[in-house]
Amino acid sequence: MPEITRVRWEDLYDRAFPQVYRALVAATFDRDRALDGLHDAFEEGLRRPPPDDRNLEGWLYRVALRKTRRGIFRARRELPEVSGTAGDPTEAVLDRLEVGRLLRLLTERQRAIVVAHYYLGLSHEDIATSLAVRRGTVSATLSQSLARMRRGGA
């Protein structure tokens, strides 16, 4: 396994930062904490690189999510209200608001798994490894989450 050098971390930062950041925001609804948590995860990776480099994005997501979650477990999240006029291109905004509303129906753990699977494209196995849960837990959580979002979307 090749060593995870500073240059490789810089490349990972350039490549993975935007996607992992957006996933953290979707999972936590807190842009500032997501940014802080992701920066802390990159810093931890430089100080103590993971032993396995085959899924660095998953490792980053897991570590950043853990750092982002500190202190916000019980905090309620509300999306800012967005007002638009008839002439504005609001379709994308409305879609994001609806996704945010549906994600808000989920627990923090459910959101983390749903975002990791559907937004980051991680496999069940990668999510299980990244979040230190069993593969069956990932499958069951995804199934329960989708059912909850379907009921909430009706």
Side-chain angles (χ1 to χ4, degrees), residues 63-133:
V63 171
L65 185 63
R66 185 183 72 231
K67 291 181 177 292
T68 301
R69 285 172 145 176
R70 289 193 178 139
I72 62 170
F73 278 112
R74 291 182 173 77
R76 302 272 305 166
R77 298 284 184 276
E78 292 191 26
L79 288 174
E81 290 188 31
V82 176
S83 60
T85 60
D88 289 339
T90 59
E91 193 66 34
V93 171
L94 292 175
D95 286 346
R96 282 196 309 269
L97 289 175
E98 178 64 9
V99 169
R101 184 186 72 78
L102 292 173
L103 285 173
R104 194 177 295 117
L105 298 172
L106 305 177
T107 66
E108 183 114 11
R109 177 175 158 164
Q110 288 173 325
R111 273 197 312 270
I113 291 174
V114 166
V115 168
H117 183 66
Y118 290 103
Y119 185 77
L120 292 176
L122 298 179
S123 69
H124 290 204
E125 192 67 38
D126 286 342
I127 296 168
T129 301
S130 295
L131 298 179
V133 297

Side-chain angles (χ1 to χ4, degrees), residues 3-100:
E3 181 183 343
I4 304 172
T5 64
R6 185 176 208 77
V7 172
R8 285 190 66 206
W9 275 109
E10 289 172 2
D11 178 55
L12 179 68
Y13 186 91
D14 292 340
R15 184 173 35 85
F17 183 90
Q19 185 178 18
V20 175
Y21 171 71
R22 287 189 302 265
L24 288 168
V25 170
T28 64
F29 298 121
D30 190 321
R31 292 177 186 274
D32 293 333
R33 288 185 189 217
L35 185 61
D36 289 343
L38 187 52
H39 283 147
D40 290 347
F42 272 106
E43 184 179 321
E44 184 172 322
L46 283 170
R47 279 194 323 263
R48 288 185 309 266
D52 184 2
D53 72 341
R54 78 185 163 89
N55 184 9
L56 291 175
E57 289 88 350
W59 181 90
L60 271 176
Y61 179 69
R62 178 179 57 86
V63 171
L65 185 63
R66 185 183 72 231
K67 291 181 177 292
T68 301
R69 285 172 145 176
R70 289 193 178 139
I72 62 170
F73 278 112
R74 291 182 173 77
R76 302 272 305 166
R77 298 284 184 276
E78 292 191 26
L79 288 174
E81 290 188 31
V82 176
S83 60
T85 60
D88 289 339
T90 59
E91 193 66 34
V93 171
L94 292 175
D95 286 346
R96 282 196 309 269
L97 289 175
E98 178 64 9
V99 169

